Amino acid sequence: MTTQLSDTVALLGELIAFPTISELSNLDMIAYLAHQLESAGAAVDIFHDEIGHKANLFATIGPENDGGIVLSGHSDVVPVAEQDWASYPFEMIEHEGRLYGRGACDMKGFIAAATSMAPYFAEHVRDRPVHFAFTYDEEVGCFGAQALVDSLKQKGIRPGVAIIGEPTSMRIIEGHKGCYEYTTHFCGMAGHGSAPDRGVNAVEYASRYVNRLLDLKDALRARAPSGSRFDPPWTTINTGSLKGGVAHNVIASNASIEWEMRPVQASDAQFVKDDLRQYCETVLLPTMRTICPEAEITTEVIGEVEGLEPAELNEAKDIMMELTGSNAADVVPFGTEAGIFQSYGMSAVVCGPGSIDQAHKPDEFVSLDQLQQCIDMLGRLGKKLAS
């Protein structure tokens, strides 16, 4: 796999040079990867977002069968603003066995390794298809992966296994919590602070909502699944900010709360949403509307990303144990797109080169050794599918 390593390093340098920060377009990088994969013989589909500013790539090598194996990575990277880099972040630098650049491990290293192995797959894969899924906007809500699953449904494509190449130091990850983010807005009625009963103080009602979130935090502890391996083992809620009001002596007409929860199981997320909806409809809003019939409470969904729930039967885990020689699978606190693929009926794991400790930081890097381990794993996958 020496040739593949040099090809991967060269391709990684090209990919890092695309400044695919989430707020910018990824179209140039997707077009470049499409050309690379088509040159290797892959059938490539590109799915644009609603405004044509970004796109997902889905490519296939091998037979057009259901049950294929997806190699998935996100094309977007986090910003570099206000970070102190030793070199220009969108130009790859190699130093002492490490490749530096924004996205080196999160997660263009895996994308480069998978793409550079495409000619090898084209030569060997016979048994079941290998798919390449490169998405947009993972860093801001996994919107690309959600759109990609919708596209696959429309085309009737049903892969069986998903390997998400987030940086895990090539450890096999079979579970992580979900990440659900919201902003809840309160619209009351302004007035003079000396007559608080003549207005509807949005900040005060927002504070009561926060108290409800605190009650739910305690309730979720009791719902921790038996034997949960997460730390902490229960679903968590965090209140990030409460903003509202304009002055000491003015009844606040508007307020907003930014909050999130990290479910260990989908049923916990539904439990929280149902409780809050009922609390608003039966307690808060009726009281607010006795003074101001137009008072409102609305919750804006910033993003709802499913967790990856450990499964007793998991073909993806079995395949990765065979390919890596590991007999262990872990859970992690950070989120990925894996749960989205799992929700479509695929077995899924997370496993890729580099360490999450380097992600989002200045001087992000992936080591040559980690890339080689990834290439070796992909090479064994090609041989496995050569029958």
Side-chain angles (χ1 to χ4, degrees), residues 24-28 46-56 136:
L24 304 177
S25 174
N26 72 335
L27 293 182
D28 288 344
I46 294 177
F47 304 102
H48 290 85
D49 68 356
E50 292 182 355
I51 62 174
H53 184 61
K54 297 180 181 180
N56 292 318
Y136 63 85

Side-chain angles (χ1 to χ4, degrees), residues 61-133:
I61 288 176
E64 295 184 3
N65 300 337
D66 288 343
I69 296 177
V70 174
L71 304 175
S72 178
H74 62 80
S75 63
D76 61 319
V77 298
V78 297
V80 297
E82 300 183 10
Q83 290 188 344
D84 185 16
W85 284 70
S87 59
Y88 180 59
F90 297 108
E91 179 180 347
M92 188 179 75
I93 300 296
E94 181 176 352
H95 180 66
E96 295 183 350
R98 295 175 174 178
L99 303 171
Y100 292 86
R102 173 55 85 222
C105 70
D106 188 21
M107 56 182 302
K108 293 180 178 180
F110 179 79
I111 292 175
T115 303
S116 70
M117 290 295 290
Y120 181 84
F121 288 135
E123 181 180 350
H124 289 83
V125 170
R126 300 289 180 270
D127 183 44
R128 63 198 290 191
V130 172
H131 304 291
F132 303 80

Side-chain angles (χ1 to χ4, degrees), residues 301-323:
V301 178
I302 305 303
E304 293 183 331
V305 181
E306 295 94 335
L308 176 62
E309 296 194 24
E312 185 174 346
L313 299 176
N314 187 337
E315 185 188 9
K317 180 175 72 172
D318 295 340
I319 289 173
M320 289 304 294
M321 284 183 171
E322 176 186 346
L323 298 179

Side-chain angles (χ1 to χ4, degrees), residues 1 10 23 25-26 31 34 43-44 47 54 81-82 119 137 152 169 214 218 227 230 269 302 311 323 327 343 350:
M1 296 297 168
E23 64 188 30
S25 174
N26 72 335
V44 177
F47 304 102
K54 297 180 181 180
E82 300 183 10
D137 280 358
L152 298 183
S169 300
L214 294 175
D218 292 336
F230 291 107
I302 305 303
L323 298 179
N327 60 2
S343 70
V350 184

Side-chain angles (χ1 to χ4, degrees), residues 140-365:
V140 292
C142 295
F143 301 121
Q146 293 168 344
L148 177 61
V149 165
D150 289 341
S151 299
L152 298 183
K153 289 178 182 177
Q154 293 172 12
K155 293 180 71 71
I157 299 173
R158 302 289 306 193
V161 168
I163 300 167
I164 292 80
E166 291 276 6
T168 68
S169 300
M170 294 305 295
R171 293 184 301 128
I172 302 169
I173 303 303
E174 63 174 337
H176 62 70
K177 295 183 180 183
C179 183
Y180 289 42
E181 297 181 333
Y182 305 96
T183 302
T184 301
H185 302 279
F186 298 79
C187 180
M189 186 172 72
H192 197 283
S194 64
D197 292 342
R198 297 180 185 177
V200 177
N201 194 314
V203 169
E204 292 180 359
Y205 282 95
S207 298
R208 293 174 66 180
Y209 191 94
V210 170
N211 284 333
R212 190 68 174 191
L213 291 175
L214 294 175
D215 291 340
L216 286 167
K217 285 179 69 172
D218 292 336
L220 289 167
R221 287 174 176 258
R223 292 173 59 92
S226 176
S228 173
R229 293 149 58 197
F230 291 107
D231 181 19
W234 52 79
T235 293
T236 59
I237 291 177
N238 178 65
T239 304
S241 73
L242 193 165
K243 305 172 185 175
V246 294
H248 295 79
N249 59 350
V250 178
I251 297 170
S253 60
N254 290 282
S256 62
I257 302 166
E258 296 176 337
W259 63 281
E260 66 153 30
M261 60 175 160
R262 304 273 176 148
V264 299
Q265 51 194 354
S267 58
D268 283 354
Q270 196 61 50
F271 166 75
V272 170
K273 290 192 287 185
D274 288 347
D275 182 278
L276 290 170
R277 182 177 60 253
Q278 183 177 18
Y279 181 62
C280 289
E281 291 175 354
T282 63
V283 179
L284 296 185
L285 277 172
T287 307
M288 296 170 73
R289 287 174 176 171
T290 59
I291 304 297
C292 177
E294 294 78 27
E296 288 287 351
I297 301 173
T298 57
T299 293
E300 175 187 2
V301 178
I302 305 303
E304 293 183 331
V305 181
E306 295 94 335
L308 176 62
E309 296 194 24
E312 185 174 346
L313 299 176
N314 187 337
E315 185 188 9
K317 180 175 72 172
D318 295 340
I319 289 173
M320 289 304 294
M321 284 183 171
E322 176 186 346
L323 298 179
T324 64
S326 173
N327 60 2
D330 301 321
V331 299
V332 291
F334 61 86
T336 77
E337 297 170 327
I340 297 170
F341 291 105
Q342 187 183 55
S343 70
Y344 188 45
M346 302 181 220
S347 64
V349 293
V350 184
C351 182
S355 170
I356 196 66
D357 292 340
Q358 305 305 322
H360 299 191
K361 295 180 179 179
D363 299 328
E364 176 184 348
F365 70 85

